[in-house]
Structure formats: structure tokens, C-alpha cells
Amino acid sequence: MNDLEGKHIVLGLSGGIACYKAAELCRALIKEGATVQVVMTEAAQQFITPVTMQALSNRPVYDSQWDQREPNNMAHINLSRDADAIVIAPCSADFMAKLLHGRADDLLSLMCLARPIETVPLLLAPAMNREMWAHPATQRNLAQLSADGAHILGVGSGYQACGETGDGRMLEPDELLDDVIAFFQPKRFAGKRVLVTAGPTFEAIDPVRGITNLSSGKMGFAIARAAREAGAQVTLVAGPVSLPTPRGVTRIDVRSAREMLAATVPQAELADVFIATAAVADWRPANASDQKIKKDGSGDTPQLAFIENPDILATVAKSPRALSRELFCVGFAAESHDLEANAQAKRERKRVPLLVGNIGPATFGADDNALLLVDEKGTRAVPRASKLELARHLVADIASRLNRS
Ligand code: CTP
């Protein structure tokens, strides 16, 4: 299912060069299942035409409070009444100032003021020059708008159309899409700190070779995203994978199991929930060479000896905070056979309250999966779905366990 299925979004454009990104955002919202009604200010129409936005949204654009298409001539009322959210992207400095003062001299500002404040949230994607963004007036307006209940989506940083570099760019359409999707997710982890390990580890044989596994990290990254969407502060300790960091998640990149352990243990001291999805290499070469191992022409092959890596989950699970359930630990089990029996045995061995079993070879690299939740009472199967859907399901399950305890 698309993440915005059934949602009706009013997309407001105020004047700014970032209007060109609003076209892409409109498309992206629709692709995720939303219906989009575009409302533009006069200034926005200097940057992009209503024709473009009408074609993309498949609906006539509104730009005047005197629009006679509405039988009661009250576009400012009618447009917001069936909206699930109003998203202003771009939101110019001037438009923010207008919102702040409750001014209502054009359709977009009038509609924002006339919206039912309890049921129609207002999301703002500011876009402006870095000096305008940093100006005390803008920052003051932002703080007050936020206090008045608007949801500020933040800004990007980098090269600006004016040629300067700094904060104030509008977020990219895909970032805004993720933020809008996240906005609608229930905040089951509000105030919680969640730590996730993800991906494979890489154990060096020499500076150019090593041992790793086929874990893609997708499940762990999806869990980090779902936890963040649910309102948690999330730290993701990631092995070598090339996945993008989910929005709002703090990422620590590591390579080996020992590096992962060193990054995880101090973070676990601060966390409320630890979810170990990483496919940590069980063994590492006993004597990694500092220099590349060369063929000597004799035809002899190098003899590799291995030693066992530390068990990160088991280490954290026996810490005092985990034992007292101040820290709730969740393990994963990638099995190739006998999932239920192996997962239950692993849960007991690792001493974690919840273990999530899956068939490893079938899921590595895939975008979907099926899970088996194993706790002291028994097992529950979660049918095949996308990894993000499963991650949200798991977040909901863990949150209800936290509430019960
Ligand atoms: N794990 C870990 N550190 C390790 C090995 C595993 O933190 N050195 C964690 C994994 O992140 C996962 C759980 O322990 O949450 C189980 O991992 P898995 O590889 O399935 O189990 P192993 O303990 O390695 O057992 P085996 O390979 O024998 O099945």
C-alpha cells in the first residue's frame, strides 16, 4: 500500500525559486497515493505557472479568494475542510511573517488562517537566502509559528540560487515526501531513544581483502526510519552498506564487529530500546596482515585461522540496564532452516525478551520479508510485506510491550 493512500493534501506555493521543486513534490505526493490541491500566491506564479501545477495535480489550481468557481465564493473555507494537511512548499520569509500575524490578504494566507486548527495541520517548508534565514526576525517568526502549532519541516544547506552557500534552501522533494509521510505516522516512540545495528561487518584479511556476508542492511535501515517516524531519537550503527541514511537518524559507520561493538556499547547506555539487526561476522581472521598477502609462485595457499568475534547483542543484553528492562533488547535471527526452534533457542541463549526470526538467504538484499516474533510466551508470524511495513509493525509491537511493562 502507498504511504499516503486516502490522504488529501493542500499544497500551497508562495514566491521563491524553490517553486521548481514543488512541481516534483506534487508528483511525489500523488505517486504515494495522495490527492493534491494546489493553491498559489501571485508571487509563486512568477516562478512556475499554474498550468504546470494543474497538469501535475490533475486539478485546477486556485490562486484568488474571489474565485467564482466555488458556488458560495468561499474558496478559503472550502479548500481546507477536507484536507488532511496543508503543506506550504516553498514557504517564503514573507509568507511566514504573514502567517505569524494572521494576515489574510490573499487566498493562501486567508485559507491558512481559516483552517480548522485542531484537525488540519499546517506543515511549512521554508525556502530563502541564508541571510534571510539567519535573520533574527525569521528565527523569531519560526519559533512563534511553531508555538502556534505549525510543523516546521526544516531547511537544507548548500549552494543557493543567489550564488551564496549556507542554510535556507528548501529541502529536496524526496526529503519533504519522507517528512510528510513521517508526519502521519503515530508517535508511538515519542520521547524514546532507539539504537539499531544494521548491515554486515567486514573482517580484514589484509588491507585489500576481507570476509563479509550478503546482508544488505535494508531491514535495519527500515527499522531506523520507522522508529524515527514514530517520534524516537534514533542512532544507527551501520556496517559497510551504501544505503542512504533515513531522515533525522544519526548514523555511525563502522566496518568490523569490534568497531561495531565499540560504537554500540556506549550508545546502549543512553538508549531505551536496542534492536540488533546487524549480520555480525561470527569469526575474524586471527592474524590480519598489515600488508597485502602476495602469491609467492609456489602454488601454496595462505592458511587462514579464525577467532570468534564478540557477540554485541549478548554483551548489551547482560548489561545492568538491560537486565532491569530499562533497556529493551530485540535480537534478529537469520536462519536457513527450522526457524521457530532455532529462533526460540537463540532468544534464550542471548537472553533477550524479543527475538525476530527470518529466513536469511531468502531475505538478504530483498525489499520484502516475512517475520516470526518470538517471546517467552511463544511465536507470532508477521506475513510477507515490504521491509518498511514490517519495520512499522515491529515498532508498534515493541511500543506496546514498553507500555505494558
Ligand atoms: N549478533 C551480535 N553479535 C554477534 C553475532 C550476532 O550482535 N557477534 C546479533 C545479531 O545482530 C542478531 C542476533 O545476534 O540480532 C543473532 O544473530 P545470528 O547471526 O542469527 O546468530 P548467531 O549468534 O551468530 O548464531 P548462529 O550464527 O550460530 O546462528
Side-chain angles (χ1 to χ4, degrees):
M1 187 170 130
N2 291 324
D3 283 330
L4 295 175
E5 204 65 60
K7 296 276 187 260
H8 181 60
I9 311 267
V10 175
L11 177 61
L13 279 65
S14 60
I17 183 62
C19 276
Y20 79 93
K21 296 187 194 172
E24 193 76 44
L25 174 62
C26 178
R27 249 183 112 93
L29 292 168
I30 287 173
K31 232 173 131 189
E32 272 310 324
T35 50
V36 177
Q37 173 62 58
V38 176
V39 177
M40 296 173 76
T41 64
E42 208 182 311
Q45 294 170 56
Q46 296 288 327
F47 295 92
I48 190 168
T49 67
V51 175
T52 303
M53 298 309 293
Q54 175 172 353
L56 291 172
S57 63
N58 203 21
R59 282 169 180 249
V61 169
Y62 281 78
D63 58 8
S64 162
Q65 70 265 47
W66 312 120
D67 196 315
Q68 292 182 4
R69 282 172 295 182
E70 293 296 302
N72 60 357
N73 213 305
M74 293 189 198
H76 66 292
I77 302 287
N78 305 346
L79 289 174
S80 71
R81 291 308 183 261
D82 56 353
D84 291 290
I86 298 174
V87 180
I88 310 288
C91 186
S92 66
D94 181 58
F95 197 74
M96 277 174 28
K98 261 176 134 171
L99 286 174
L100 176 89
H101 288 288
R103 292 193 55 192
D105 60 354
D106 69 350
L107 176 60
L108 190 57
S109 54
L110 180 58
M111 183 191 70
C112 289
L113 191 68
R115 81 187 201 281
I117 200 164
E118 299 298 335
T119 53
V120 183
L122 179 63
L123 282 65
L124 307 180
M128 66 201 72
N129 162 270
R130 67 188 175 117
E131 300 291 1
M132 293 166 75
W133 174 252
H135 196 284
T138 303
Q139 292 302 316
R140 195 167 57 232
N141 290 352
L142 267 177
Q144 188 57 49
L145 282 168
S146 181
D148 289 349
H151 185 82
I152 314 288
L153 297 173
V155 292
S157 188
Y159 182 74
Q160 302 195 311
C162 51
E164 297 179 1
T165 302
D167 292 343
R169 282 166 57 107
M170 188 166 86
L171 294 173
E172 297 306 316
D174 57 337
E175 295 174 316
L176 288 173
L177 177 70
D178 284 357
D179 286 358
V180 171
I181 291 171
F183 178 80
F184 287 115
Q185 293 299 318
K187 299 295 171 246
R188 297 188 165 101
F189 270 169
K192 299 285 180 216
R193 279 181 293 194
V194 175
L195 173 64
V196 182
T197 61
T201 63
F202 178 92
E203 311 298 329
I205 294 172
D206 68 17
V208 298
R209 305 182 182 92
I211 292 171
T212 185
N213 60 60
L214 290 174
S215 166
S216 65
K218 285 181 181 172
M219 191 69 222
F221 275 61
I223 289 172
R225 173 176 170 176
R228 175 70 194 142
E229 286 177 344
Q233 207 179 305
V234 182
T235 302
L236 173 63
V237 179
V241 292
S242 54
L243 297 172
T245 310
R247 295 270 304 143
V249 166
T250 305
R251 174 172 178 171
I252 304 174
D253 282 320
V254 298
R255 214 158 83 122
S256 66
R258 284 183 297 174
E259 281 176 27
M260 190 173 272
L261 179 76
T264 302
V265 168
Q267 291 296 328
E269 281 301 309
L270 309 169
D272 301 295
V273 179
F274 173 46
I275 308 172
T277 72
V280 184
D282 289 316
W283 306 282
R284 66 177 182 276
N287 297 303
S289 168
D290 290 342
Q291 295 183 338
K292 185 180 174 195
I293 302 171
K294 306 288 284 179
K295 290 196 288 281
D296 61 8
S298 68
D300 289 345
T301 53
Q303 299 300 304
L304 286 181
F306 291 94
I307 48 177
E308 196 168 324
N309 266 329
D311 190 317
I312 300 165
L313 176 60
T315 306
V316 172
K318 62 177 190 246
S319 69
R321 290 185 70 246
L323 291 174
S324 68
R325 287 287 165 87
E326 222 179 307
L327 171 65
F328 188 85
C329 291
V330 183
F332 262 69
E335 305 295 340
S336 62
H337 58 284
D338 292 339
L339 181 58
E340 190 163 341
N342 280 324
Q344 194 56 272
K346 197 167 283 181
R347 189 189 78 79
E348 280 159 31
R349 200 167 66 244
K350 306 244 176 181
R351 297 168 71 190
V352 291
L354 177 64
L355 192 110
V356 184
N358 62 133
I359 296 293
T363 176
F364 279 172
D367 288 322
D368 62 355
N369 198 0
L371 304 178
L372 187 72
L373 306 191
V374 182
D375 65 13
E376 61 182 357
K377 296 205 188 93
T379 61
R380 182 166 69 82
V382 187
R384 184 158 291 280
S386 76
K387 287 184 175 174
L388 184 56
E389 277 173 75
L390 293 173
R392 288 181 183 143
H393 188 104
L394 186 61
V395 160
D397 182 279
I398 295 170
S400 69
R401 288 169 196 269
L402 295 184
N403 287 341
R404 264 180 266 144
S405 63

